[in-house]
Amino acid sequence: MSKGTVVLAYSGGLDTSCILVWLKEQGYDVIAYLANIGQDEDFDAARKKAERLGAKKVFIEDLRAEFVEEFIWPSVQASAIYEDRYLLGTSIARPCIARRQVQIAQKECAQFVSHGATGKGNDQIRFELTCYALYPDVKIIAPWRIPEFYNRFKGRKDLMEYAEKHGIPVPVTPKAPWSMDANLMHISSCCYLDQLGSSLGVSHAPSDLYLMTKNPEQSPNTPDMLEMEFKSGKPIKVSHVTDGTTKDTPLEIFLYLNEVGGKHGVGRIDIVENRFIGMKSRGIYETPGGTILHHAHLDIEAFTMDREVRRIKQGLGIKFSELLYNGFWYSPECEYVRHCIAKSQENVEGKVQLSVFKGNVNILGRESPKSLYNEELVR
Amino acid sequence: MSKGTVVLAYSGGLDTSCILVWLKEQGYDVIAYLANIGQDEDFDAARKKAERLGAKKVFIEDLRAEFVEEFIWPSVQASAIYEDRYLLGTSIARPCIARRQVQIAQKECAQFVSHGATGKGNDQIRFELTCYALYPDVKIIAPWRIPEFYNRFKGRKDLMEYAEKHGIPVPVTPKAPWSMDANLMHISSCCYLDQLGSSLGVSHAPSDLYLMTKNPEQSPNTPDMLEMEFKSGKPIKVSHVTDGTTKDTPLEIFLYLNEVGGKHGVGRIDIVENRFIGMKSRGIYETPGGTILHHAHLDIEAFTMDREVRRIKQGLGIKFSELLYNGFWYSPECEYVRHCIAKSQENVEGKVQLSVFKGNVNILGRESPKSLYNEELVR
Amino acid sequence: MSKGTVVLAYSGGLDTSCILVWLKEQGYDVIAYLANIGQDEDFDAARKKAERLGAKKVFIEDLRAEFVEEFIWPSVQASAIYEDRYLLGTSIARPCIARRQVQIAQKECAQFVSHGATGKGNDQIRFELTCYALYPDVKIIAPWRIPEFYNRFKGRKDLMEYAEKHGIPVPVTPKAPWSMDANLMHISSCCYLDQLGSSLGVSHAPSDLYLMTKNPEQSPNTPDMLEMEFKSGKPIKVSHVTDGTTKDTPLEIFLYLNEVGGKHGVGRIDIVENRFIGMKSRGIYETPGGTILHHAHLDIEAFTMDREVRRIKQGLGIKFSELLYNGFWYSPECEYVRHCIAKSQENVEGKVQLSVFKGNVNILGRESPKSLYNEELVR
Amino acid sequence: MSKGTVVLAYSGGLDTSCILVWLKEQGYDVIAYLANIGQDEDFDAARKKAERLGAKKVFIEDLRAEFVEEFIWPSVQASAIYEDRYLLGTSIARPCIARRQVQIAQKECAQFVSHGATGKGNDQIRFELTCYALYPDVKIIAPWRIPEFYNRFKGRKDLMEYAEKHGIPVPVTPKAPWSMDANLMHISSCCYLDQLGSSLGVSHAPSDLYLMTKNPEQSPNTPDMLEMEFKSGKPIKVSHVTDGTTKDTPLEIFLYLNEVGGKHGVGRIDIVENRFIGMKSRGIYETPGGTILHHAHLDIEAFTMDREVRRIKQGLGIKFSELLYNGFWYSPECEYVRHCIAKSQENVEGKVQLSVFKGNVNILGRESPKSLYNEELVR
C-alpha cells in the first residue's frame, strides 16, 4: 500500500532521478515536477525519463513569465542586492519554483513534497520556508537530511551504481567540479571551486565556467545603445537605439536584455558571500540582463524620487535583500516590505539611455515626466 | 586701516583672483592659500600671480599624502558611496582643504576665512561646517552670498571686465560650459551640462569631458592584473602581477591605481544626485583609483568580516556617506561613526587579485590569514 | 493702499495682539485666525478683542475632532515618541493648525500668513514647512525674525507699552516665568524654567506648573480600570470597567482619557531634549490621555503583530517621530512613512484592560480576534 | 567506567535534582554548579543536597558583583529594552551564568555541560550560544531535548515519583502554576499564567505573584528622593537626598536601588513578547532597580550627548537589545555593538535627581560638567 503521494522537485539530473526511484522504493507514489524557469534543458527528454522511472504523473511547467513579472520585477524595484554585490538570481527563483510545487501538491491531494537540496545550503531553507508558508500542513521529505539516504549515498559513485542498477541513464561526461544553478536571471557556480585551487589560496575561476556571458576580452568592439522605459519602477519597454528592435512584454524584455548583456560580457562577478547558516561560500555569478536593469532602475529612481523617501526605501531594500537571500519571500515581514517598496515606486517613471560594452553598463542620460530635477534651480 | 586678515581659499583661477582683489578693496589683508590635493595646476605661476595681485602672504600646501591617508583611506574602509553610486571624491577633499586653511588662519592670527563657492551648492556648506568645527570663532566671508559682491558680478563678463581693470590675467580660452572640480581622487563635471541638451531631455556627456580616464573604446585590449594588500581595512601594498611594479606608501599606491585605472577607463559615472539643500543635480565623475579600491576592499571585507558585523557596519557606512556628502566630516556624529567603522576593520586583512580592463574591475581571487571562510564546511 | 491680506495665527494673548496691530500699521489687511485645538481659552472674548483691534475678519475654528482623528491617531499608530520620552503633543498640533490657516488664506485670497513664533524654536519651522508644502506660493511674515519688529520690541515691557498705546488689553497678572503651549493632547512648559534655578544646576519644576494632571501625591487612592478597544491600530472605544461609562467617537474617547489620566496624575515628564536647530532645551510635559493610549496601543500591537514586521515598523516609527518633531508632517517622506505605518496596523485589533493609578498606567490583560499568541505552543 | 564529567547548571529545585541523578544513572560524573546571581535561595542547603545526591563536586559561585558590573551596567549604557518594554533581566543573566559554568568545565577538564532548560524557550538558546562561543569543543547535554529523558518524565508527577525513589527531597508545597526566574535584576513569571484565565481571554495576574515589589496601592504615601551619579554612562554613586544614605560600589548601588524601587512598587510590567523561536509569550516582570536606572540614564544621556550621536546610538541600542534577548551576548556582532555603545558613553557624566513614589520614577532635574545644554542659547 502506498505511503502517500510525493511531489518531487525533479531536475532531470542524476540526483533527483535517484531520489525519484528511492522514494518509490520507500513506498511513495511520486509525481515529478520540473519547472521551466529559463534553464537550458531538454524538457521532453526529462519528461520521458521521469515516466520511464515510474513517476505517476509528470508536470513540466513554464514559469518564465511569472518568474519575471512577480519575482524579478519586485527585486528590480527594491534594487535588491546582497552584501553590495550579488543580485540574488538563485534566491529569487526558489519561491517561484516552490510555489508551483505546492500548488500541484494541493491540486493532486499530495501530503508530501520532496527536493534534492543538500543539508548545508541556503536552498533547502528557501524551499521549505515557502512550502510551509503556502501549505502549512505539507510534509517535506529531504532525502539529503535522512540518515537512511545519506548513509547509503555517500558520494557520486554510490549514486552512479544505484542509477545503473535501476536503469537510470548515467551521464557520460564527468561532473564539473562545481555545482551550478541556472535560470532566466543568472547562472551561478559555487562552492566546489576552491577545491581546484585551495592550495593557492587565490584560485581564479576557469574561463569555461561562464555560459551566459561572453568574455569581455572577446566581446564586440562596438557598444550597443539601448533605451529602457519604466513605469512604477518596472520596465515596460526596451528599444535598441540604432537597429530599432523593441520589446514590451516582461518576458521578452528580460530575454532581450540577457541577449544584449550576454553578448557584451555584462554581469560577471566572483565573490565570497555569507550564507544563512553562518558560513562563507564562494559564488561566481553571471547576471547579464539583471545587471543592466539594476543600473537603469537605480538611475531612473534617483531622477524621480524624493531624496528622503529614497533614503528610507534604501534601508527597506537592504532588508528585502536579506529576507530574499535567507528564503523569507513568503513571510509577513517580506510581504510588508514589498508593499512598502512598491508604494515608493509610484512615480518612478521615464526613460534611461545606456550603452552596453565590454562588461560595462554606461548610463548616458535620462528623462521623465515626473522628474524632480529642476534645471532652473541647479547652478 | 585694515579690517583684519583673511585667509582666502585661492585656486589661481578667475573667480578667486577677483575675490582676492575685491577683498583688498574692502579693506582686508589677504593671505592666499592654495592646497595641492592632486589637481593639474601650475603652482609656481599661481603663487606669482597671487603675489602680484597683492596677497600679503601665499601658502601653497601639498596635502596629497594626508588627503590619501586621513580622508580617502577612512572612506575606503567605510565603503563610502552616496546614493549607491557616487564615491564622494569632492566631498572628501573639502574638509582636508578647509582644515589646513583654518590652521593657517590660527597660526597667522587671521580672524577671517573666505572662499569662492557659490550660494547654492554643497561646497559652501562642507567648507563652512569644517571651519566652524575647528575654529569656532572664525568669521567667514562668502562673497557669492554678499549682495555688494553678487550684484556687482552678475556674470562672467563682469568678472572679466573687473580682471582687466585690475591687472588680473584673463584666461584666453573660453570657459567650458560645465563646472569642474579636480583632485587626486576624481574629476567631477556638473551642473551646467544640461544646458547643452535640455531640449532633448536626454543629453549625453561630450566625450572630451573626461580627463582622468581613457575612453574604454580606445583603451588597451589586454588587461592589467594587480594584487592589492590590505591591513585593518587600509591598502598597504599594490603589485602588478606580471611586470612586478610595487608601491607601498599611501600616496604612491593611490597614484599608481589612478594610473592603471585611468589607462583602462575605470570609474566613469553619469548620475543625477540629491544635493544637501534639496534639489537634484547631474554629476559626471571619473574616479579611477577609488573605484578599484572600492571593489577590492568590498571583497577582502566580505572575506574576513563576520556576517552580522558586516550588516551593522553597512548601515554605519551609509550614514557616514550621507554625513560626508553633506559636509559633516568634523561633527560629533561623523567622528563617532568613523571610530565605529575603524573598529570593524581590525581583521580586514589579506590580498585581493584583480584585473582591470575596458572600464571593468574584475575580482579574481583573494586570500587572508584572518579568513572566516572554511572550505571544510562549505559543501 | 493695502499691501495685501495677511492671515495671522492669533492666540488672543499679548504678543499676537501686538502683531495684529503692528501688521495693520505696516499696511496690511489682517484676518485673525484662532484654532480651537482644545486649549483653555475664552474664544468669544478673543473674537471680540480681535475685531476691536481692527481685524478685517476673524475665524475661530474648532479643529478638535480632526486633530484627534488625523493627527493624534496616526501618532498613536506609530508609537511616536521623540528621544524615547516625549509624546510630541506640540509637534502634532502645528501642522493641524497651519493647514487650516493656509486653507483660509487660499479661500480668502490672502497672499500672506503670519505667526508669532520666535526665531529660535522648533515651532516656526513646523509652521512654515506646512505652509510652504500646502500653499507653495504663500509669503510668510515672521515678525520675530524682522529687524524692524524685534528691534522695537526688545522685551515684554516694550510690548506692554505698545499695547497700552494702541488700546490692546494688557494682562494684569504677571507673566509666568515659563512659556506654555496647551492643546487637547498636552500642556508643555519650557525653556525659561531654568532661569529659576540655574544657579543650582538642578532646579525642580514648581508644583503649580501642572494644569492638566493632578499631583500623584494628591490623586485618588483607588485605581480606575478601563478597557480600550482598537481596530487597525486606532482606538474605537473606551469603557470604564466598573461604572460603565463608554465613549466611542474619537474626540470623546480622547477627552475621556484625558479626564481619567488627569485625575490620576498620568503623563508628567521633565526632560531635556534636542531641538531641530541644534541646541538642547528643557521641557516639562503633561500628556494624560496620550500616555494611556501609548501604553495600550503598544500592548495590543505586540499582541497582534508579527515580530519581524514589528521590528521594521519600530524603525519607521522612530523616523516618523523625528520627522514630526522637526516639522516635516507634510513632506514626501513623512507621507510615505505614514502610509507604511498605517499598512502595518491592519491587524492591530482587540481589547486591552488597564488600570490608572497614581501616575501609572498598568496593563492588566488583552484579547484579540487576530492574536498571534498561541497558548498551545508556549510552554 | 565513566562516560566523562558533566558540569550541570543546578538550581537546587526538583528538575535539576532529578537531572543530576539521571545523569549519574547514564554513567556520567556530575559536578553541580549553582550560581548566586541574587536569587532567594538557601545555598548551604542546596550544596548539601547536591552532595547527598552524588555530585562529585559542588560549586556555589557568588557572581553578583560581576553580574552588575559586566552585564547590567553595559545594558544600562545601551538603554537595552526589548520591544519597547522589557528590561531583559533574564536575558542578561544567562551569559553571566553560562560563562562561569564553562570556566569550571575547562578548569575541571569536563567535556560536557548540562542544563534543565526546556526545548521551547529562549533560555536553552542563550545558554548554549554562550557555551559554544567560549568553549567551542564543549558537548551540551540538554535532557529536555533527549527522547529517553522527556519520554520518561512526561509531567511533574513522573519527576515526583523519580525523586521519591531516589531519595531526592520532594517539595511539599504545590508548584505555582507559573514558571519563575529570579535574579538581582528582576523576577519574571511567565508562560503558564494564561492557563489560569485563558477562557477569559483577558486574565489578570494574581497579586501574590509579585515578590520583589510592593503593590503601589499599599506602598508608602511619601516619595523617596535620590540622586544618581554617572560617569561614562555607568552609575558610580547613589545618595538618598534626605536621609543621607550613600552607596558607591556597583553591587551596593544596585541592591539599594532594588530596595527603594521595591518599597515603592517600581518596575512591574505585564506584557506579551515575541520569543526567538517565533511565538509570542506572556511575561510578568518586576525590575525595581533596573527601572530606576533606565530612567536616570536616559535623562543624563539626553543631557550630555550630541543629538545625532544619540540617534545612531539609539539604533545600536535596539540592535543590542535584540541580540541580548536572543542569546547572542558572546557573538562578534554583540561585542562590536557593545564596543560602539561604550564609546558613545564617554561624556555621559553627571547627576540626576529623581523621586520614587507609587510605582513612578520622576526625574526632577540634572546637572553635568559635560552638559551640552546652553541656557544662553535657549530662548
Side-chain angles (χ1 to χ4, degrees), chain C residues 273-302:
Chain C
E273 75 202 47
N274 288 294
R275 286 203 193 165
F276 186 37
I277 48 175
M279 52 187 157
K280 293 179 184 281
S281 79
R282 184 169 180 179
I284 305 211
Y285 302 100
E286 304 173 83
T287 320
T291 300
I292 297 174
L293 270 179
H294 180 72
H295 288 287
H297 176 268
L298 267 185
D299 195 70
I300 194 71
E301 186 181 89

Side-chain angles (χ1 to χ4, degrees), chain C residues 231-252:
Chain C
K231 199 164 163 62
S232 301
K234 294 179 187 171
I236 55 169
K237 191 159 99 178
V238 59
S239 317
H240 191 286
V241 173
T242 48
D243 76 13
T245 312
T246 291
K247 308 287 173 184
D248 57 10
T249 68
L251 181 55
E252 282 183 330

Side-chain angles (χ1 to χ4, degrees), chain D residues 190-205:
Chain D
C190 81
C191 311
Y192 291 71
L193 252 182
D194 265 45
Q195 294 181 329
L196 293 177
S198 60
S199 59
L200 301 177
V202 185
S203 60
H204 298 185

